[in-house]
Amino acid sequence: MIKINNQIVKPNELFPEISSAEQKTIIKKMGALNEGYEYHTVNQLKFELLFREKTMKAAEELNKSGAKFTTFSYAFCNKKYWYRLGNGGFLLKENTSPSSAILDILKNGSLYAFECSTAIAIVLYIATLYSIGNTRFNTLFDHLYLMDWQFDEDLPILQKYGDDYLPGDVLHFNNPDFDPKQPHWRAENVIYFGDDKYYGHGIGIRNASTIIAFLNKKRKDEPKNSAYLMNMITRPKYQSFSY
């Protein structure tokens, strides 16, 4: 259900405002769910749709970039733009353009390796850049730090339990019986594309059954529990960016 200025709006009423077929698909899903999606203006909704679309674009590009999967201990980055910290995080160098640095991960992916939570952060920062433009991005994120789930205060993130999955959401596969020798496979964080399609760093763009089968191969001896898709959703607070 979509509400704009406290009024329920049907998806087809919004179609003239939307040019992208991908965004129209998202609106249809919003309208079909019991969950309420509330906005003060149409422009706030349009910004969220744009951000979600750009999130999927960024995930596809990161998947093709050649960036490798590894644990925090073995993470590495392009030293032209980033300091590699002792904890495996990447800190933007002084007098370096944040937009150039984050896009370098797509351009020179072979110079980077990181695990899946940092990959999700990278996707969301790139989506932010695509959504708000270089000038505003460079102003907001001049101390960019890439590490696990540690997001800049200017990219506020919310997490909720539910199954109202929308394209562009961050979802989570849990692997409760993971192999203790491979603790990095205790879970896989993914970008959801809709239609049973997910991007997970180190796994690629796959359907749910393929991701679960992969994680099930990373379990301890005599496991009792299968990996599964959690009823948990992570999203940026889109309205914090829109005017």
Side-chain angles (χ1 to χ4, degrees), residues 168-188:
D169 278 340
V170 179
L171 304 181
H172 311 270
F173 286 86
N174 190 29
N175 190 16
D177 285 351
F178 67 91
D179 181 353
K181 295 179 181 178
Q182 302 181 77
H184 46 284
W185 293 119
R186 69 176 63 233
E188 180 72 359

Side-chain angles (χ1 to χ4, degrees), residues 77-136:
C77 54
N78 187 350
K79 295 179 181 179
K80 177 180 177 181
Y81 294 100
W82 307 92
Y83 296 111
R84 195 278 192 192
L85 304 184
N87 61 2
F90 308 153
L91 179 65
L92 185 72
K93 288 191 170 183
E94 298 87 351
N95 303 314
T96 299
S97 162
S99 58
S100 297
I102 199 74
L103 290 178
D104 184 68
I105 301 171
L106 301 181
K107 294 176 182 176
N108 295 296
S110 62
L111 301 180
Y112 294 85
F114 39 80
E115 45 60 68
C116 69
S117 57
T118 299
I120 294 298
I122 290 167
V123 166
L124 293 181
Y125 279 118
I126 293 171
T128 304
L129 170 60
Y130 288 164
S131 301
I132 68 176
N134 286 5
T135 301
R136 193 174 175 202

Side-chain angles (χ1 to χ4, degrees), residues 9-38:
V9 181
K10 295 180 180 179
N12 59 359
E13 295 176 299
L14 296 164
F15 284 174
E17 299 277 348
I18 307 301
S19 58
S20 162
E22 203 161 36
Q23 292 183 23
K24 288 180 180 179
T25 297
I26 298 171
I27 284 181
K28 288 179 183 177
K29 290 182 180 294
M30 285 179 167
L33 292 167
N34 290 327
E35 188 77 15
Y37 299 92
E38 299 189 19

Side-chain angles (χ1 to χ4, degrees), residues 129-186:
L129 170 60
Y130 288 164
S131 301
I132 68 176
N134 286 5
T135 301
R136 193 174 175 202
F137 185 88
N138 289 337
T139 299
L140 292 175
F141 302 108
D142 58 341
H143 294 92
L144 195 55
Y145 174 55
L146 305 176
M147 172 64 186
D148 201 18
W149 289 103
Q150 299 183 42
F151 288 91
D152 190 285
E153 63 181 10
D154 288 311
L155 179 55
I157 299 294
L158 63 85
Q159 198 165 70
K160 54 163 279 188
Y161 287 97
D163 58 2
D164 58 309
Y165 311 139
L166 293 171
D169 278 340
V170 179
L171 304 181
H172 311 270
F173 286 86
N174 190 29
N175 190 16
D177 285 351
F178 67 91
D179 181 353
K181 295 179 181 178
Q182 302 181 77
H184 46 284
W185 293 119
R186 69 176 63 233

